Amino acid sequence: MPDTITRDEAFRKLAARCSAKECCVAEVREKLHNWNIPRKEEDSIVEQLLKENYIDEARYCRAYAQDQFRFSGWGRIKIGYTLRQKQIDPLTVSQSMKVIDETEYVETLLRILKSKYRGLKSVDPSLQGEKLMRFAVSRGFEIELIKKCLRELSVECAVGSEI
């Protein structure tokens, strides 16, 4: 186990980390726990980081949503799920989804579906739509939007709302 560090050292390290990269409270608490900081001091450090605006969960959520969408090609459902796993308020999570442009969102889904479809050319045509649907759902896109995009791509999908 790592050595225990002082409260001031922990605060300085976390302030530097939060200045360089957006962090949420859960990540900060995990780091403090790994450093064996007592719970009372942990609360004090988190409070101070929040007060001094090193941590802002709304700002973190917006950055996380935008990054995961742009760089990983994730949909809103998967982004929201991972943010809620980090114990972030559901209202903050839903507000953060507004940073994702709707047009860009649909274009991204179409692009990843087209890319996946090219790799499925050798698959039985009756299964292509189902495979594309599962793929897009696993990326966190909404079922109705996936169906709309599959119709636009003229891919038959026998999969209904049972997913």
Side-chain angles (χ1 to χ4, degrees):
M1 257 211 236
D3 294 329
T4 303
I5 63 173
T6 67
R7 183 210 184 283
D8 290 337
E9 283 178 295
F11 177 79
R12 274 195 307 278
K13 284 183 176 189
L14 288 170
R17 180 185 173 106
C18 292
S19 292
K21 168 187 174 298
E22 290 293 342
C23 295
C24 67
V25 172
E27 292 170 342
V28 169
R29 285 192 183 279
E30 182 180 338
K31 197 59 121 166
L32 289 166
H33 180 74
N34 291 342
W35 291 336
N36 297 320
I37 302 293
R39 181 67 183 199
K40 188 175 181 181
E41 287 183 19
E42 181 182 308
D43 292 340
S44 166
I45 292 169
V46 168
E47 217 174 279
Q48 187 177 357
L49 289 167
L50 286 165
K51 182 181 167 198
E52 294 183 22
N53 211 24
Y54 285 107
I55 301 174
D56 180 337
E57 290 206 326
R59 187 177 64 213
Y60 172 81
C61 282
R62 287 190 304 271
Y64 186 87
Q66 201 159 30
D67 287 353
Q68 291 303 330
F69 169 66
R70 286 222 170 107
F71 301 122
S72 301
W74 288 6
R76 289 186 186 110
I77 294 171
K78 188 169 185 173
I79 294 168
Y81 177 75
T82 57
L83 286 170
R84 284 188 299 277
Q85 280 185 314
K86 295 174 185 278
Q87 301 153 6
I88 296 174
D89 176 54
L91 181 60
T92 304
V93 171
S94 66
Q95 291 293 318
S96 69
M97 296 302 155
K98 293 178 182 173
V99 300
I100 300 172
D101 178 64
E102 190 63 34
T103 305
E104 190 178 350
Y105 190 69
V106 173
E107 288 171 0
T108 298
L109 177 56
L110 281 167
R111 181 178 43 78
I112 66 171
L113 284 172
K114 284 177 187 176
S115 175
K116 183 70 173 175
Y117 182 68
R118 283 191 292 271
L120 294 176
K121 291 291 186 182
S122 63
V123 174
D124 180 13
S126 65
L127 297 176
Q128 289 174 343
E130 187 176 327
K131 287 185 177 287
L132 288 169
M133 175 70 82
R134 277 200 212 119
F135 172 73
V137 166
S138 75
R139 284 290 189 95
F141 288 91
E142 298 84 351
I143 291 177
E144 290 307 313
L145 182 60
I146 298 167
K147 287 179 183 178
K148 179 182 169 210
C149 289
L150 288 176
R151 280 192 298 273
E152 192 172 318
L153 294 173
S154 300
V155 176
E156 281 299 314
C157 183
V159 179
S161 57
E162 66 269 0
I163 289 183

